[in-house]
Amino acid sequence: MGVPWHVLAAVLAVTLVITSTVSSSAAEMRKLPEGLKLGVATASFQIEGGWNAADKSPSIWDIYTHMPGKIKDGTDGNDTCKSYEFYQRDIQMLKFLGVDFYRFSISWPRVLPTGFADKISEDGIGYYSRLVDELLANGIEPVVTLYHWDLPQSLQDLGGWANPLIADWFEDYARVLYDALGDRVKTWITLNEPKQFIIYGYGMERFAPNIVSAGIGDYIAVKNALMAHAKAWHLYDKEYREKQKGTCGITIATDFREGLSDTPEDVELGRMVMDFEAGFYSHPIFSSTGGFPERMIKRIAEKSAEQGFPRSRLPELSQEEIDFIKGTSDFYGFNHYSTKFYTADGYTKGMYPIPSYEDDIGAVSSYKDYPPAPIIHATKIPNGIRKALNWVKDNYNNPTVLITENGYGNYGGVDDPERIDYYKAYLDAVLDAIEVDGCNVTTYTAWSLMDNFEWDSGLGAKFGLFEVDFDDEQRTRKAKLSALWYKDFIAQRSLDPDYLPQFEENKF
Ligand code: BGC
């Protein structure tokens, strides 16, 4: 009893049409994986203001921003968004968005005005304690960064990150916070982006503390920062983990770097630059062998010898130090903004100071022909976030990844469809990394909740989902179009490439 062939063909055709409609609409609307948490981030110096409130002492960024000519638009961080005063409005904004968590950082000199743990500021610790309580009362999980670049100036006077004793000072500071907040905070991030605060701060004039010891002091500071992170993690692991039941890790800027072309030279160069960019910090912690990446050890040793140094400018890690640092992160905190392409063609001696981090890399970089974003380091290259997530997965045995920052910067206002485009494209690539490639991503964090003090670019550069009126004493905040979009994305827990919200007037 056969079914006539033309009936079969018709059934097959209908089935094909249905299947293709289903799969193409599924490709359009992407449901988020079960359990993926969504949040937003800020950092203390960028939003708090209150730079000399109560007994707070100056941080290196207070001192730096007060030096004439350092910040591109001449602004400073004295008041910024005034979150030290208006934090309850920040919580209202977080509730409006519907986030699962809020990543913020703690100002070391606000909590420990001498820099040391001899005296804990009641005002300082009280502020963070209230913030944590009110977040929890509103169903928002606090994710806390211990260090997002605002070192007490008193410690910088002793050398800051270039002094190996900072590992002990940081451990003491971490203990104060685990004791004060660890009953309620379950995710701790020790350091945010060691590359940015060290290479730009100890090797270039770009960031505080404005120490220019290129290719020497910056490399020493990297070793000390890794030791400081490891001490804070071991402390948590030994003395707090069991009673507080939280996790502790580090956040590393994992922008992607690759060769400009497919030639074996460029491909290998791309791998080396990725080591300079991220592996410098991640290899010692996340690799199975520990220590600095071999490519860097070799390159810096060769260059140092050529330059007449009797030893490599890259400090050695003893076997004991390697073992102490290895394995000290419960997750890989991953920040990502864009991708750059490298080639040694056209690199000439003297393009960068000798010695320096850039001269050690010895290559020229570009964003290829991708249209440059107004703030260049957020140029939209979505495939790069997928490649960077795979780089973490392939090199470090697929660790749990918390995307702790991703976002777009411009100089515009509340009508910001280009920021929405960036988020949609990057989130789509993140979903590919999770669903197609098997990367173990558990959270996604948009940078930033609101416009804030964008380091050397000042208040003029805008990364926020909310606009802040910096001319208004009250620092009124308004949800941008992108905030309305993120709110809907969180509520739907799916990515709709076509959705653009209607703008509604609002104020916080
Ligand atoms: C930093 C943030 C900064 C953002 C945008 C990251 O490197 O952690 O503090 O605002 O990039 O530039």
Side-chain angles (χ1 to χ4, degrees):
M1 265 239 316
V3 180
W5 70 267
H6 61 276
V7 175
L8 267 182
V11 169
L12 189 65
V14 169
T15 315
L16 279 178
V17 169
I18 293 172
T19 323
S20 72
T21 321
V22 169
S23 62
S24 81
S25 72
E28 280 163 19
M29 279 284 281
R30 294 187 80 165
K31 269 226 125 323
L32 299 192
E34 196 68 32
L36 183 74
K37 289 188 194 170
L38 303 172
V40 290
T42 60
S44 48
F45 186 79
Q46 295 182 274
I47 65 158
E48 285 176 3
W51 78 281
N52 60 1
D55 48 354
K56 179 180 172 293
S57 67
S59 77
I60 55 174
W61 274 92
D62 291 314
I63 302 297
Y64 184 76
T65 51
H66 296 166
M67 292 178 191
K70 286 296 176 197
I71 306 304
K72 280 181 200 138
D73 60 7
T75 55
D76 60 40
N78 292 0
D79 300 315
T80 64
C81 311
K82 295 194 178 174
S83 286
Y84 186 62
E85 198 179 328
F86 297 137
Y87 73 93
Q88 278 154 329
R89 280 166 36 204
D90 299 351
I91 297 178
Q92 291 312 309
M93 287 143 65
L94 295 162
K95 273 183 71 176
F96 172 85
L97 291 175
V99 291
D100 298 312
F101 65 90
Y102 176 42
R103 175 181 178 227
F104 64 92
S105 80
I106 293 189
S107 159
W108 188 339
R110 196 183 292 292
V111 171
L112 300 179
T114 67
F116 298 105
D118 57 325
K119 178 177 165 284
I120 302 171
S121 162
E122 269 181 42
D123 287 82
I125 211 70
Y127 169 68
Y128 295 111
S129 190
R130 285 193 302 280
L131 175 59
V132 166
D133 281 344
E134 290 178 38
L135 286 169
L136 290 170
N138 284 287
I140 301 163
E141 189 190 328
V143 171
V144 177
T145 308
L146 295 177
Y147 186 75
H148 200 127
W149 310 354
D150 39 0
L151 187 74
Q153 180 62 36
S154 57
L155 300 185
Q156 187 55 46
D157 293 342
L158 302 175
W161 292 100
N163 185 336
L165 291 175
I166 197 150
D168 294 334
W169 307 334
F170 186 68
E171 182 189 26
D172 296 342
Y173 166 58
R175 181 189 292 281
V176 167
L177 294 169
Y178 299 155
D179 279 338
L181 307 176
D183 54 338
R184 290 154 289 158
V185 171
K186 301 303 163 194
T187 309
W188 294 101
I189 295 167
T190 56
L191 305 178
N192 178 69
E193 298 189 346
K195 177 202 164 178
Q196 280 63 12
F197 75 81
I198 294 173
I199 304 292
Y200 300 161
Y202 290 77
M204 298 177 195
E205 284 186 51
R206 183 172 165 193
F207 275 12
N210 198 38
I211 305 290
V212 186
S213 175
I216 301 174
D218 44 6
Y219 293 171
I220 294 171
V222 170
K223 171 173 173 176
N224 296 336
L226 287 166
M227 289 299 287
H229 153 78
K231 278 209 166 187
W233 183 88
H234 280 295
L235 174 68
Y236 192 80
D237 192 50
K238 281 210 187 66
E239 297 186 31
Y240 294 87
R241 188 187 295 283
E242 211 178 290
K243 56 177 188 245
Q244 297 189 345
K245 310 221 169 345
T247 55
C248 179
I250 190 169
T251 278
I252 295 168
T254 315
D255 286 329
F256 199 63
R257 271 54 183 130
E258 61 178 283
L260 182 68
S261 73
D262 292 341
T263 62
E265 294 76 26
D266 276 7
V267 170
E268 180 48 27
L269 175 71
R271 291 192 185 120
M272 187 191 72
V273 182
M274 199 52 197
D275 279 345
F276 270 85
E277 182 69 27
F280 200 3
Y281 321 95
S282 52
H283 197 275
I285 300 173
F286 295 96
S287 70
S288 54
T289 51
F292 290 129
E294 279 305 320
R295 290 187 188 91
M296 283 189 77
I297 295 176
K298 189 165 167 278
R299 177 73 152 216
I300 299 172
E302 282 166 9
K303 288 254 183 177
S304 302
E306 263 171 43
Q307 292 156 357
F309 288 90
R311 67 184 74 234
S312 177
R313 289 178 279 101
L314 182 67
E316 261 188 45
L317 291 172
S318 68
Q319 193 55 49
E320 203 187 323
E321 289 166 337
I322 291 175
D323 295 341
F324 186 71
I325 296 169
K326 196 169 66 155
T328 56
S329 196
D330 301 329
F331 52 80
Y332 190 111
F334 174 103
N335 286 359
H336 183 100
Y337 289 86
S338 192
T339 295
K340 274 198 201 176
F341 303 89
Y342 285 75
T343 180
D345 285 348
Y347 183 77
T348 51
K349 252 194 178 168
M351 272 180 136
Y352 292 106
I354 300 173
S356 67
Y357 169 86
E358 295 105 318
D359 182 67
D360 284 340
I361 290 175
V364 288
S365 67
S366 71
Y367 290 90
K368 263 189 179 166
D369 43 8
Y370 288 92
I375 293 176
I376 193 88
H377 73 266
T379 291
K380 187 176 123 191
I381 309 179
N383 200 21
I385 196 169
R386 181 173 179 187
K387 290 182 183 173
L389 286 167
N390 274 281
W391 179 87
V392 172
K393 170 180 156 243
D394 295 344
N395 286 288
Y396 305 130
N397 195 24
N398 204 9
T400 299
V401 172
L402 273 52
I403 298 181
T404 42
E405 278 180 37
N406 175 228
Y408 179 82
N410 63 8
Y411 296 94
V414 290
D415 187 18
D416 61 344
E418 64 290 358
R419 178 168 286 108
I420 300 176
D421 270 2
Y422 176 101
Y423 277 124
K424 280 180 179 170
Y426 273 68
L427 278 159
D428 197 42
V430 168
L431 291 179
D432 283 342
I434 301 173
E435 288 165 358
V436 182
D437 310 331
C439 296
N440 193 7
V441 177
T442 60
T443 69
Y444 177 86
T445 316
W447 180 272
S448 174
L449 171 62
M450 61 189 147
D451 293 341
N452 56 48
F453 188 83
E454 177 54 25
W455 308 112
D456 55 329
S457 298
L459 292 171
K462 320 277 189 192
F463 274 85
L465 294 170
F466 285 76
E467 183 185 60
V468 178
D469 183 351
F470 293 107
D471 296 325
D472 169 8
E473 279 294 304
Q474 293 302 307
R475 295 297 191 275
T476 303
R477 294 108 152 90
K478 273 189 193 164
K480 299 182 188 177
L481 199 65
S482 56
L484 303 175
W485 172 80
Y486 199 51
K487 174 184 161 68
D488 179 81
F489 170 67
I490 294 172
Q492 303 300 331
R493 302 202 90 84
S494 59
L495 188 61
D496 177 350
D498 299 324
Y499 176 70
L500 253 194
Q502 286 285 318
F503 190 70
E504 306 154 12
E505 275 303 325
N506 62 83
K507 260 189 191 171
F508 289 83

